[in-house]
Amino acid sequence: MAKHEHIRVAVIGSGFGGIGAAVRLRREGITDFVVLERADSVGGTWRDNSYPGCACDVPSHLYSFSFAPNPDWPRTFSGQRHIRAYLEHVTDTFGIRPHLRLNHEVMKMAWNADELRWDIETSRGSFSADVVVSATGPLSDPRIPDIPGLADFTGKVFHSARWDHDYDLTGKRVAMVGTGASAIQIVPSIQPKVGRLTLFQRTAPWVMPRMDRAISAPERWLHRQLPFTATARRGLLWGIRELQVSAFTKRPDELGLVERLAKANIARAIKDPALRARLTPSYRLGCKRILLSNTYYPALAQPNVDVIASGLKEVRGNVVVAADGTETEVDAIIFGTGFHVTDMPIAPRVIGADGRSLADHWKNGMEALRGATAAGFPNMMTIIGPNTGLGNSSMILMIESQLNYMADYLRQLNVLGGRTALAVRPSAVGVWNRRVQKRMERTVWKSGGCESWYLDANGRNTTLWPGTTGEFRRETRTVDLSEYEVLRAPAKPAAGRRATRKKEAVQ
């Protein structure tokens, strides 16, 4: 076990949020920090998700840090391998390696009100920190539904985010459960090699063509020699997506034209009317995340693929049973069933000022001021916190906005001086959350007629931001101290003064 270590800032997680926070800390002149990572390397979701066909559905030049442009992206939509390599490159370029504490899973962290610090227990030692930045991310812990009989299944079972590369799917009878962003990449990647593929589709997704291509050598040369061209490319990609936001957040009816294009995309690839009907969604486009693929529908049309328009209900031996009663014998079950998004797995491990966990505070729904600070948890910030997700653009834009807020938060603490903490006022969190949820009512995510992973158990959308990334950038530019209570540790008497008082007491 490592000895106890006290640092100014503890960052939890080393995906885009954690590495971004580490870089920003160094750029702010703060070097007294560590990045606590439970795995043996950086990368976050781009380390964990290595399934066949894994790639990003946001253009490469937009899915990268503005302070670390990459002129050598190989494709307009890059794959997992290149995105993970990019994060490794950023880690090296900005000198983050010495701050990494790999294989350090946070088991528990509790607010120490007497010392105004966080006491952190990890799998390899203890730490204390003045400030904690939680960047564990919403796509970190796989969610596998509780299926009766699954534990007794005689074949292979794994989640898309924990892909078993040692298991050969060639000739196997495979059940793919789920039709989200991972599934539509996995299906066409494994369809040619499996013996039979059965897709369990609880809800049909809207799928649009993926405008992907190789980025030419002349383009890459131009971006290297004239960096402003890459900046302009990124700006154009950002602007297009900003213009799309109002259709999602204010005028969902404007998405009707896009729906017709999506239906034409189905018709081009699926000639069987019955299958086409099963694959056509019954809710407004955009209510669930719009998926991009040129190969998903053609794969489903192949003779070795069955689409069951029903969820998986139970497992009997090596037979999987759908909710509609369909029975299929399989050798392997692959779950593409998403992650614990609205019930963050780290939340039960975080104990606040009142002795209650973050999970307990959020049992009726997640909420945090500007997606960053939760009431009852002083000097703790979350990157990609409640209502900071996006439905049509790059999360890196939101992460960088939150890093701006983090930087100003630390500046405010320095200005205040001494052992100081900022505790967000519950009233400020309430005002912010009510405003966000009121705006959410007009969005396609609430009015589009679907159930999605954006919604929590109470039907509230605590995941997405109901506005533009530019607006969020403005909202997080600086910390408003009126929204916080300033906590100061009581001054400790000097040793000489304590001795004098003790002597006087004896006399």
Side-chain angles (χ1 to χ4, degrees):
M1 296 287 286
K3 65 179 182 180
H4 179 86
E5 184 178 355
H6 179 78
I7 61 269
R8 175 63 170 157
V9 183
V11 179
I12 306 175
S14 68
F16 268 98
I19 295 301
V23 172
R24 187 57 183 269
L25 287 171
R26 286 190 61 88
R27 296 179 77 186
E28 292 289 321
I30 299 172
T31 57
D32 183 17
F33 71 90
V34 297
V35 179
L36 302 173
E37 169 56 55
R38 66 183 179 183
D40 59 2
S41 61
V42 304
T45 193
W46 295 106
R47 174 200 60 234
D48 296 341
N49 287 268
S50 60
Y51 58 79
C54 183
C56 189
D57 59 1
V58 175
S60 305
H61 287 87
L62 195 58
Y63 199 79
S64 47
F65 292 119
S66 63
F67 54 79
N70 178 17
D72 291 313
W73 287 116
R75 303 193 66 83
T76 52
F77 290 87
S78 290
Q80 174 263 347
R81 178 169 62 90
H82 293 105
I83 297 173
R84 184 179 180 185
Y86 170 76
L87 278 171
E88 294 278 3
H89 172 74
V90 172
T91 300
D92 290 328
T93 300
F94 291 90
I96 306 304
R97 296 280 175 200
H99 301 277
L100 293 177
R101 300 294 184 270
L102 301 176
N103 298 304
H104 279 66
E105 181 176 5
V106 172
M107 311 306 293
K108 180 182 179 181
M109 51 182 269
W111 176 247
N112 185 328
D114 294 330
E115 300 293 333
L116 292 190
R117 72 184 191 191
W118 284 96
D119 293 329
I120 307 167
E121 298 175 15
T122 78
S123 55
R124 297 187 64 177
S126 63
F127 298 80
S128 58
D130 298 327
V131 178
V132 167
V133 178
S134 178
T136 57
L139 307 182
S140 56
D141 284 65
R143 185 182 66 83
I144 294 181
D146 185 14
I147 306 294
L150 182 61
D152 299 321
F153 179 61
T154 55
K156 190 71 176 179
V157 178
F158 54 87
H159 190 278
S160 58
R162 300 293 184 268
W163 194 270
D164 189 339
H165 291 278
D166 295 327
Y167 184 74
D168 186 5
L169 292 172
T170 303
K172 297 295 196 301
R173 300 164 299 177
V174 179
M176 180 76 224
V177 184
T179 53
S182 299
I184 72 157
Q185 295 177 345
I186 293 170
V187 166
S189 298
I190 69 174
Q191 175 271 319
K193 66 163 55 177
V194 303
R196 187 144 210 93
L197 178 60
T198 302
L199 177 67
F200 286 83
Q201 172 193 271
R202 190 172 58 178
T203 307
W206 285 106
V207 183
M208 296 291 290
R210 182 182 178 88
M211 309 303 287
D212 186 29
R213 64 172 179 83
I215 298 177
S216 66
E219 287 176 276
R220 296 197 298 272
W221 178 87
L222 184 65
H223 293 333
R224 283 194 301 272
Q225 300 302 315
L226 300 173
F228 76 86
T229 61
T231 301
R233 184 174 190 158
R234 176 187 175 90
L236 178 62
L237 292 168
W238 168 77
I240 291 171
R241 279 156 181 76
E242 290 290 274
L243 292 174
Q244 297 170 348
V245 171
S246 64
F248 290 87
T249 60
K250 297 178 182 178
R251 294 181 288 275
D253 288 344
E254 293 182 358
L255 294 165
L257 174 60
V258 186
E259 278 186 17
R260 290 194 289 273
L261 295 175
K263 289 179 179 179
N265 187 42
I266 301 174
R268 277 193 298 270
I270 306 296
K271 303 307 179 184
D272 178 5
L275 178 57
R276 190 162 61 241
R278 290 200 296 276
L279 297 175
T280 301
S282 58
Y283 55 88
R284 174 64 80 190
L285 179 141
C287 184
K288 301 182 72 170
R289 189 173 181 91
I290 301 171
L291 307 181
L292 305 178
S293 177
N294 300 326
T295 55
Y296 179 64
Y297 289 138
L300 297 184
Q302 298 305 308
N304 68 331
V305 178
D306 294 314
V307 177
I308 299 177
S310 179
L312 178 61
K313 180 182 178 181
E314 63 176 310
V315 178
R316 301 174 189 156
N318 64 343
V319 174
V320 289
V321 184
D324 66 1
T326 305
E327 298 184 5
T328 309
E329 191 171 342
V330 297
D331 304 304
I333 304 174
I334 302 172
F335 285 95
T337 45
F339 300 84
H340 289 276
V341 175
T342 58
D343 55 340
M344 291 184 182
I346 197 172
R349 307 181 187 192
V350 181
I351 309 301
D354 62 358
R356 296 162 56 210
S357 71
L358 183 59
D360 191 30
H361 276 260
W362 281 353
K363 64 184 178 182
N364 294 320
M366 302 187 300
E367 54 182 42
L369 178 64
R370 304 176 200 282
T373 50
F377 297 83
N379 276 13
M380 175 180 164
M381 302 191 66
T382 300
I383 306 297
I384 315 184
N387 291 115
T388 60
L390 296 175
N392 76 312
S393 192
S394 173
M395 279 305 303
I396 312 306
L397 301 169
M398 301 296 279
I399 288 172
E400 290 197 31
S401 292
Q402 290 200 290
L403 297 182
N404 290 340
Y405 196 74
M406 176 198 76
D408 196 56
Y409 191 101
L410 291 166
R411 291 189 207 112
Q412 298 289 352
L413 288 175
N414 286 338
V415 169
L416 290 168
R419 285 191 298 148
T420 311
L422 291 176
V424 66
R425 298 181 186 278
S427 58
V429 176
V431 169
W432 173 265
N433 191 61
R434 286 191 294 274
R435 173 185 158 198
V436 168
Q437 292 302 322
K438 182 178 180 180
R439 294 179 60 181
M440 196 67 70
E441 293 300 321
R442 300 176 59 185
T443 69
V444 70
W445 310 307
K446 285 287 287 185
S447 63
C450 75
E451 293 184 10
S452 73
W453 58 268
Y454 299 150
L455 309 180
D456 65 15
N458 300 310
R460 287 200 312 158
N461 189 330
T462 57
T463 305
L464 298 184
W465 167 245
T468 66
T469 62
E471 181 185 3
F472 189 76
R473 180 65 57 96
R474 292 188 294 273
E475 293 281 6
T476 53
R477 186 169 288 127
T478 58
V479 170
D480 181 355
L481 283 182
S482 70
E483 296 178 325
Y484 290 86
E485 178 185 358
V486 178
L487 307 179
R488 292 187 181 277
K492 293 183 178 180
R497 291 170 59 191
R498 286 200 303 268
T500 299
R501 283 198 295 271
K502 184 175 181 181
K503 183 178 179 180
E504 291 173 348
V506 171
Q507 292 175 343

